[in-house]
Amino acid sequence: MGGWQDMAAEELEQQYSPSRWSPRLGPDEVIQAHLTATAAGTQRARAGVQTLLHVPYGDGDGEKLDIYLPTDPSGTFPVLVYIHGGYWQCLRGIYLCGHSAGAHLAAMVLSTDWTEYGVVPDIKGAVLVSGVYDLEPILHTYVNDALHMSREVAQRNSPQLHIALAAPAAAACKVLVAVAQHDSPEFRRQSQEYVLALRAAGWSVSMLDLAGVDHFDIVEKLSEESYILTQVILNMILRT
């Protein structure tokens, strides 16, 4: 079986267009449904907790984050950093959770040599959902029309190519790579190969292949307490 290099341009476009793979709705409809579901979930979350919204962490207009605090924030509590998808366009214990392109960014955090910055963040766990970890195939798709990545840039920013041997502190970080049954074969391949590469480098990593979901509702369902991925994340936080 050939790799992505053997695919025609049209096939690569399809493989890296997640909305074409949902059995629930058409491409345009599933994206709109995802936006509606995540907006509704955000409103429900904001209604039940204290929030600090649109907090800047850089100078750019898009460099803002929303902070959701527990009802009683006086004690110590873990921090979950969620990074949304959208192909990069649209230190108490820290846990990372990223979806799609957000999973790529979370994986890049794991690949960072923090000693260069004089810090050692206490990252206890990372949940990477339907992510892309090798950017080179994307050079040949519509996604790069806006990104204008060169091959050198794609390789430099591919977590798959920058997995360090896990030091004791890194080995203590639990990594979960989740993928949807109805993700494209390329997304599923990338998740599987990233898991193997992390495991070979000594990382504590597991993979969760979720049946009956696509690239979008795999993360939409995180608002449901009984959803298996929600439970896995909560258990990860409680056990570490």
Side-chain angles (χ1 to χ4, degrees), residues 36-238:
T36 300
T38 52
T42 297
Q43 292 304 314
R44 289 195 300 272
R46 289 179 180 176
V49 296
Q50 299 183 49
T51 61
L52 297 172
L53 304 179
H54 314 305
V55 178
Y57 62 87
D59 297 327
D61 291 338
E63 295 180 318
K64 295 181 175 66
L65 53 82
D66 295 337
I67 302 174
Y68 294 75
L69 298 168
T71 305
D72 179 12
S74 59
T76 59
F77 50 87
V79 176
L80 173 71
V81 180
Y82 175 75
I83 308 173
H84 63 77
Y87 271 135
W88 313 279
Q89 303 167 60
C90 316
L91 293 181
R92 290 174 297 269
I94 298 174
Y95 298 83
L96 300 174
C97 182
H99 171 237
S100 195
H104 161 268
L105 293 176
M108 287 297 290
V109 172
L110 299 182
S111 298
T112 299
D113 181 2
W114 291 102
T115 59
E116 295 184 7
Y117 303 93
V119 296
V120 182
D122 184 17
I123 301 175
K124 293 184 176 294
V127 180
L128 312 176
V129 184
S130 294
V132 56
Y133 310 104
D134 178 4
L135 303 190
E136 192 169 349
I138 290 175
L139 295 177
H140 310 282
T141 72
Y142 73 97
V143 178
N144 207 40
D145 292 346
L147 298 176
H148 306 295
M149 284 190 298
S150 65
R151 188 165 183 264
E152 188 274 332
V153 168
Q155 290 180 343
R156 188 173 69 241
N157 290 281
S158 291
Q160 177 79 25
L161 305 180
H162 301 284
I163 298 175
L165 293 176
C173 174
K174 307 295 183 184
V175 181
L176 172 69
V177 176
V179 67
Q181 176 185 357
H182 299 295
D183 268 318
S184 75
E186 271 292 284
F187 270 79
R188 292 175 59 81
R189 175 191 66 80
Q190 289 220 14
S191 292
Q192 292 162 357
E193 293 187 1
Y194 187 57
V195 166
L196 293 176
L198 284 173
R199 191 169 292 151
W203 288 76
S204 176
V205 59
S206 57
M207 185 168 181
L208 184 61
D209 195 335
L210 291 167
V213 290
D214 58 39
H215 187 83
F216 302 96
D217 60 349
I218 188 175
V219 72
E220 292 168 12
K221 290 177 178 289
L222 283 176
S223 62
E224 302 172 9
E225 188 173 353
S226 61
Y227 179 44
I228 183 172
L229 187 55
T230 307
Q231 289 297 314
V232 168
I233 293 173
L234 291 174
N235 287 335
M236 174 187 285
I237 293 173
L238 291 173

